[in-house]
Amino acid sequence: HYYITNNLRKLSMEGEERFIKGLINKMLRVQISDGRVLVGSLLCTDRDQNLIMGGAAEYWHDESAGEARMLGLVMIPGRHITSVQVDNSDSDIEKLLSEHDKVK
């Protein structure tokens, strides 16, 4: 997994937009302020850093600790997001991350 939450603050607006566009349709693991973890495919975001994810499942604290509750389409308010991880098993993600590291 690759943590992206803090790294986005280091990018320019143009670099951030390019980076986020590269994450569209990728699987994300998003932890929110109440301890839940949502796992799903990123569909879109907005200027307030709200995320829309499809095929989302909800876990309490850790995916390995319990059963998932299938939610489907979810909107996660940006103010509640504490961390975001992307599944980097995809070769496209490796390319995206190497481009991101060049921007830093």
Side-chain angles (χ1 to χ4, degrees):
H1 295 287
Y2 182 77
Y3 293 89
I4 63 173
T5 307
N6 292 331
N7 291 331
L8 287 180
R9 292 186 180 102
K10 298 176 185 175
L11 293 175
S12 66
M13 289 297 282
E14 182 180 304
E16 181 177 336
E17 183 177 337
R18 189 171 359 126
F19 184 74
I20 293 295
K21 282 182 179 179
L23 294 176
I24 300 296
N25 296 318
K26 303 300 181 199
M27 292 300 292
L28 298 183
R29 179 185 183 274
V30 180
Q31 185 162 2
I32 57 177
S33 56
D34 66 1
R36 289 180 288 166
V37 175
L38 300 168
V39 178
S41 178
L42 179 64
L43 300 178
C44 66
T45 187
D46 62 17
R47 66 177 173 206
D48 296 324
Q49 298 178 345
N50 300 316
L51 300 179
I52 305 291
M53 293 172 48
E58 174 189 63
Y59 300 88
W60 278 96
H61 304 288
D62 185 6
E63 295 101 301
S64 62
E67 292 185 27
R69 182 172 85 148
M70 293 308 297
L71 301 177
L73 188 65
V74 298
M75 191 282 282
I76 307 168
R79 68 182 179 275
H80 293 298
I81 297 172
T82 59
S83 74
V84 177
Q85 294 176 319
V86 63
D87 180 0
N88 63 358
S89 61
D90 188 339
S91 62
D92 291 340
I93 290 294
E94 292 300 324
K95 180 180 176 189
L96 181 66
L97 295 176
S98 67
E99 289 173 6
H100 168 259
D101 290 338
K102 290 176 188 174
V103 175
K104 284 199 245 182

